[in-house]
Amino acid sequence: MADGRPSVTRMIKMLGIALVASTVLGTAAVAQREGGYQAPPTPPQVPQGKEQQQQQKASKGGATIMIGDRKVSLTPEFTKAYQDLLKSIEANETAAISGKVAAAHAAAKTPEEHYLAYQLQLKAGMAAKNEAEMGTAVAGMIGSGVAPQAQLSTLHLALGKVRYNQKQ
C-alpha cells in the first residue's frame, strides 16, 4: 500500500463502471428524447424442461408435445426410447445412458425428435460434467433447426463456452 497501487486500481475500476453506466443511461435518454428509442421487445418466456415438453398421450402410443410454440407429434418408437432414456437419467444410471442416447437417436425420425434426444443428451452430459457430451448435444440441438428462436442465442453461447473449455 505504500506505493498506492491498490487504491489506484480500485479507483480505475470505479471510474470504468461509472463511465459505462453513464454512457448507457445517457444514450438511452438521448434516444428516447429524440423519439428514436423503443424498448426492446421482451422475448416470450420459454418454459424449460418438463414444462416445455408436456407430453400428452396420442393415438397409437405416440405423444404430442410442445417445442416452443409448436405442437409436435412423436412416433411411438421414439416415445418409448425417450422415456427409457429419461428414466435412466433421472435414476443416474450412468452405464446405461450412452446406449440409450444412441437408441433414442436411432428411433428419431424427424428433426424434432432428434432435438429432443439431444436435449436429454445435454441433460445427461451436464449431470456427468462431461464437456464433450455437452458440446455434441448443444451442437446437435442447434443443427436440428428446431430450437426455438428465443433459445438460439443461449445455445450458441453455451456451445462457445463448452468449446472454449475444451480448448477447441
Side-chain angles (χ1 to χ4, degrees):
M1 265 223 222
D3 64 1
R5 280 199 181 272
S7 62
V8 170
T9 305
R10 250 184 274 152
M11 178 70 82
I12 290 173
K13 285 181 183 178
M14 290 184 348
L15 286 173
I17 292 170
L19 176 66
V20 169
S22 66
T23 302
V24 169
L25 294 174
T27 304
V30 168
Q32 188 174 17
R33 182 177 51 219
E34 292 175 0
Y37 177 76
Q38 293 181 356
T42 56
Q45 292 294 330
V46 179
Q48 299 290 324
K50 291 183 181 178
E51 294 85 22
Q52 178 185 2
Q53 303 165 1
Q54 293 180 357
Q55 297 188 357
Q56 302 167 345
K57 293 290 180 185
S59 62
K60 300 181 185 174
T64 302
I65 61 162
M66 295 292 292
I67 297 179
D69 58 350
R70 292 184 301 155
K71 190 179 266 193
V72 178
S73 295
L74 303 177
T75 61
E77 298 84 22
F78 178 76
T79 302
K80 182 179 178 345
Y82 181 88
Q83 289 172 346
D84 289 345
L85 176 57
L86 185 60
K87 287 177 187 174
S88 293
I89 291 171
E90 289 173 349
N92 201 17
E93 299 170 353
T94 55
I97 289 176
S98 62
K100 290 186 180 182
V101 165
H105 283 294
K109 304 286 187 252
T110 65
E112 290 84 3
E113 290 175 347
H114 281 288
Y115 174 80
L116 294 170
Y118 281 122
Q119 205 171 40
L120 285 184
Q121 185 176 356
L122 176 62
K123 186 175 181 177
M126 289 172 55
K129 295 180 175 66
N130 184 339
E131 293 279 336
E133 190 80 13
M134 288 188 274
T136 301
V138 172
M141 289 170 70
I142 294 169
S144 71
V146 178
Q149 290 294 320
Q151 289 183 351
L152 278 177
S153 61
T154 305
L155 289 172
H156 281 286
L157 180 63
L159 182 60
K161 287 180 179 179
V162 168
R163 289 195 174 152
Y164 175 80
N165 290 341
Q166 291 181 314
K167 309 288 189 251
Q168 290 185 348

